[in-house]
Amino acid sequence: MSNEISKPVELNNQKLKWVERVAYLMDNQFRLPGTSFRFGVDPIVNFIPFLGDISAFLVSAVLVLTMARHGASGKVLILMVLNILLDAVIGAIPVIGWIFDFGYKANSRNINLLKRHYVEGKYQGSGKGIIFTIIVVILVFFIVLIYLMWKVLAWAADMM
């Protein structure tokens, strides 16, 4: 994990300072004594089944909506939503998700995306290419999955 993700990012826009503070609270507020490993409230609340996952997802979604209202491009918003969806989906898996939540830090990643969007001018545009790529990957995945299921069923039918 790079240090860029684990340390707070300075946003010049005063209207977005609270977003940075909430992201820091969710992902990096606490330090494991004797180490440089940081974690936040997100992985802790995710130990509460269902309620923890939903509450952390809602906080992340509010942060992304706030960034959208303050002019983040479509492309950066799509990347942010993918971060929180990945965090929510994998984070919902017992044990594996808990470990994942301590390391992934979707909110900090989103703050860094926002910083690069505003400061460096990266991630400009609508993000339609990203959506198209995701749709193609999902379609290919389902086609391969259906093909494999058909082969397994044909093999099982031959065995009977």
Side-chain angles (χ1 to χ4, degrees):
M1 189 89 17
S2 74
N3 286 338
E4 178 185 335
I5 292 173
S6 61
K7 59 185 168 183
V9 177
E10 293 296 323
L11 291 175
N12 293 329
N13 188 337
Q14 289 299 322
K15 294 178 183 177
L16 294 176
K17 282 290 189 186
W18 76 270
V19 172
E20 183 180 18
R21 286 192 298 271
V22 170
Y24 186 79
L25 172 71
M26 294 297 287
D27 292 341
N28 296 304
Q29 182 67 43
F30 310 108
R31 186 178 58 84
L32 194 60
T35 70
S36 62
F37 180 76
R38 300 195 70 85
F39 61 96
V41 175
D42 183 18
I44 295 169
V45 297
N46 284 339
F47 281 115
I48 303 168
F50 188 70
L51 181 63
D53 295 322
I54 295 297
S55 62
F57 177 78
L58 289 175
V59 169
S60 296
V62 167
L63 294 179
V64 170
L65 288 173
T66 301
M67 293 177 218
R69 284 193 350 206
H70 286 88
S73 73
K75 185 173 184 178
V76 78
L77 290 173
I78 289 170
L79 292 171
M80 289 176 176
V81 169
L82 288 174
N83 275 336
I84 65 173
L85 285 175
L86 182 65
D87 186 40
V89 169
I90 295 178
I93 302 169
V95 182
I96 294 169
W98 297 332
I99 295 167
F100 181 78
D101 279 335
F102 277 99
Y104 188 67
K105 304 178 185 204
N107 296 306
S108 293
R109 290 173 183 268
N110 286 347
I111 291 294
N112 286 329
L113 283 170
L114 187 67
K115 177 189 167 223
R116 286 188 295 248
H117 169 70
Y118 281 131
V119 176
E120 301 169 12
K122 290 186 177 179
Y123 309 113
Q124 301 292 334
S126 69
K128 290 179 184 174
I130 295 170
I131 293 173
F132 178 75
T133 303
I134 292 169
I135 290 171
V136 168
V137 168
I138 290 171
L139 284 174
V140 168
F141 174 77
F142 280 118
I143 290 169
V144 169
L145 184 64
I146 290 169
Y147 175 77
L148 290 175
M149 287 174 44
W150 178 69
K151 284 295 198 180
V152 168
L153 289 174
W155 174 79
D158 287 342
M159 294 298 289
M160 293 183 165

